[in-house]
Amino acid sequence: DAGVTQSPTHLIKTRGQQVTLRCSPKSGHDTVSWYQQALGQGPQFIFQYYEEEERQRGNFPDRFSGHQFPNYSSELNVNALLLGDSALYLCASSLSRKNTEAFFGQGTRLTVV
Amino acid sequence: AQSVSQHNHHVILSEAASLELGCNYSYGGTVNLFWYVQYPGQHLQLLLKYFSGDPLVKGIKGFEAEFIKSKFSFNLRKPSVQWSDTAEYFCAVSETNAGKSTFGDGTTLTVKP
């Protein structure tokens, strides 16, 4: 049973560029959440997708957008990259019901130069 | 808004010492509580969770945590740590309807052999 898989594992981009990160949820999960983890900090919630719609959003600018596909996989897009966007981006999947836990992927390490 | 405070940024212990990591949260409603562990080079893994019922929760690898509602606390404990427990530990809280999780900034535990 595959867990949460993310690609790519590492990425280097230049300021102003755009990036797309991908996530496949754990088998049977229908909800995907994205988090940003800066060095020395805990993960910060970006947004959550369920039934192909953004359901909840954290305090992140509109440069951060996402998508969920019919097979529950998801993409995180970041436009107009800033140096401050350098971080580990984590995907977590869960079931859309009460009292459920999230399973995390290994993350994508994004470096903006 | 929810917030999570982990009191210790870095804890250094010798093997066989007892461990207690503090976690306090601020949220007035019903919450789910989690402790995650991140071993060097690995993804976030769930140590234990509290949804309801017995406030003393037992997790993997001999860890336990106690939910004290009146103190808004969910401290992690282990009677005797091992070198292999060296890792970063994150406390997290979410609302019961499977919404976003709010994480603390983590505690780095170093266990000396």
Side-chain angles (χ1 to χ4, degrees):
Chain A
D1 178 22
V4 180
T5 57
Q6 293 185 241
S7 63
T9 54
H10 295 82
L11 203 51
I12 300 175
K13 289 286 189 178
T14 304
R15 273 181 302 175
Q17 284 189 316
Q18 179 265 343
V19 68
T20 298
L21 310 182
R22 296 176 175 82
C23 172
S24 292
K26 181 178 170 62
S27 178
H29 284 184
D30 56 8
T31 301
V32 173
S33 301
W34 286 91
Y35 292 81
Q36 180 194 67
Q37 186 177 12
L39 207 59
Q41 295 182 18
Q44 300 289 315
F45 177 78
I46 302 175
F47 41 53
Q48 182 182 80
Y49 276 83
Y50 169 64
E51 288 188 337
E52 303 178 48
E53 288 190 15
E54 183 182 295
R55 300 292 177 170
Q56 288 189 320
R57 189 176 183 93
N59 189 25
F60 279 81
D62 291 344
R63 297 187 297 109
F64 289 76
S65 64
H67 189 77
Q68 185 180 35
F69 299 93
N71 67 353
Y72 308 119
S73 67
S74 177
E75 288 181 350
L76 164 66
N77 300 292
V78 187
N79 294 322
L81 284 167
L82 304 173
L83 294 179
D85 294 331
S86 296
L88 181 67
Y89 288 85
L90 297 169
C91 172
S93 73
S94 57
L95 282 168
S96 59
R97 57 177 174 80
K98 197 174 173 180
N99 294 340
T100 184
E101 66 194 70
F103 290 77
F104 284 82
Q106 289 265 25
T108 294
R109 173 71 63 187
L110 172 65
T111 303
V112 182
V113 297
Chain B
Q2 297 173 356
S3 68
V4 177
S5 175
Q6 293 185 239
H7 313 300
N8 312 99
H9 184 64
H10 194 178
V11 173
I12 302 173
L13 295 172
S14 298
E15 274 193 317
S18 64
L19 170 72
E20 181 160 2
L21 301 182
C23 173
N24 285 90
Y25 66 94
S26 65
Y27 181 68
T30 305
V31 294
N32 294 335
L33 297 158
F34 308 89
W35 275 97
Y36 287 88
V37 61
Q38 192 168 29
Y39 298 105
Q42 296 189 25
H43 63 280
L44 276 170
Q45 301 172 38
L46 184 69
L47 263 183
L48 47 78
K49 61 195 177 193
Y50 173 81
F51 291 150
S52 63
D54 188 343
L56 184 60
V57 178
K58 294 194 183 298
I60 61 172
K61 303 186 181 186
F63 286 91
E64 65 178 30
E66 184 176 12
F67 170 48
I68 302 179
K69 189 174 181 180
S70 61
K71 295 184 177 180
F72 298 90
S73 71
F74 191 56
N75 293 352
L76 181 71
R77 299 194 293 247
K78 185 171 184 179
S80 176
V81 295
Q82 302 172 324
W83 176 79
S84 58
D85 292 325
T86 294
E88 190 152 19
Y89 292 80
F90 293 94
C91 179
V93 59
S94 72
E95 297 174 34
T96 57
N97 61 351
K100 67 174 187 176
S101 287
T102 300
F103 284 77
D105 280 339
T107 297
T108 301
L109 172 65
T110 301
V111 180
K112 295 181 176 180

